Amino acid sequence: YYFCPYPDFHVLWEDYRVFNSLGAWGYINLCNPHTPSPEFGDLRNYLSAKLIEEPQMTKAEYENHIIEFMQAFYGAGWQEIKAYFDLIHRLSAGEGKCFSVYSSPEVIFGEHAFAPYNDELVGWFDRAEEGAETETQRIHVRRLRISMDYLRLGAIHQREMTSGDEGRVNAMIREVKAFHKRCF
């Protein structure tokens, strides 16, 4: 599930504090090293480096590093990306949920969890891309959008394809084809 975001940022800070209290001095941070990450892998790597460099940082400092990274990486539309970031953490925070990097989006977030946010998600990413100040920032937004579209389209696909409305079915087919084209 390389396109699925792994919402572990709420525990990353805590994990590194525990590792440091136990005297750990080496870490293996498993992110997707094979391709530019279509989720928040760059942020995870950045935060891991900051936590190794500054193991006693406060939670407020950690949160500030997230914002600083997003401002630089995504540009002026970073708040839209932060809204998505907060949503994936909110949707994955259900009581008793346990997941791993091998878990499907349905296990992490729940069945069709992103369907109610379809229009909102599209708007966030449209505004984030408009706010990007450089081509590199636009590429970062577009790459992350693959992750969002993967979740969003997966959540609405069945509803649209079984709607009985030929226009909605055809629109869904076009959107899935466009998604595949962006990925490859």
Side-chain angles (χ1 to χ4, degrees), residues 6-71:
Y6 191 69
D8 66 342
F9 292 91
H10 63 293
V11 296
L12 193 63
W13 175 79
E14 296 166 11
D15 288 350
Y16 274 83
R17 291 182 66 86
V18 170
F19 298 154
N20 282 308
S21 73
L22 297 173
W25 54 269
Y27 305 91
I28 296 176
N29 184 12
L30 295 176
C31 289
N32 182 3
H34 309 295
T35 184
S37 178
E39 63 106 32
F40 289 105
D42 295 308
L43 173 59
R44 187 174 295 100
N45 288 334
Y46 175 78
L47 291 172
S48 294
K50 288 291 189 183
L51 287 161
I52 290 169
E53 179 182 81
E54 193 180 334
Q56 299 306 316
M57 83 169 61
T58 66
K59 185 72 166 184
E61 290 169 325
Y62 176 77
E63 296 290 335
N64 193 50
H65 285 307
I66 292 172
I67 291 169
E68 288 173 352
F69 178 90
M70 288 186 177
Q71 288 171 333

Side-chain angles (χ1 to χ4, degrees), residues 7 20 36 39 46 60 85 87 104 119 130-131 141 182-184:
N20 282 308
E39 63 106 32
Y46 175 78
F85 179 85
L87 177 65
S104 70
D119 295 338
E130 288 170 12
V141 172
R182 283 192 309 275
C183 292
F184 305 103

Side-chain angles (χ1 to χ4, degrees), residues 41-136:
D42 295 308
L43 173 59
R44 187 174 295 100
N45 288 334
Y46 175 78
L47 291 172
S48 294
K50 288 291 189 183
L51 287 161
I52 290 169
E53 179 182 81
E54 193 180 334
Q56 299 306 316
M57 83 169 61
T58 66
K59 185 72 166 184
E61 290 169 325
Y62 176 77
E63 296 290 335
N64 193 50
H65 285 307
I66 292 172
I67 291 169
E68 288 173 352
F69 178 90
M70 288 186 177
Q71 288 171 333
F73 202 72
Y74 299 111
W78 72 271
Q79 291 108 333
E80 308 297 336
I81 301 300
K82 182 70 164 70
Y84 171 63
F85 179 85
D86 291 343
L87 177 65
I88 66 170
H89 284 83
R90 197 167 52 252
L91 291 177
S92 69
E95 296 248 351
K97 276 194 179 176
C98 183
F99 54 86
S100 74
V101 295
Y102 302 107
S103 297
S104 70
E106 293 79 18
V107 169
I108 296 172
F109 304 106
E111 288 285 325
H112 312 294
F114 292 88
Y117 304 98
N118 184 59
D119 295 338
E120 199 169 7
L121 289 162
V122 171
W124 287 342
F125 276 81
D126 287 349
R127 289 187 298 275
E129 191 168 340
E130 288 170 12
E133 299 144 333
T134 68
E135 185 58 26
T136 300

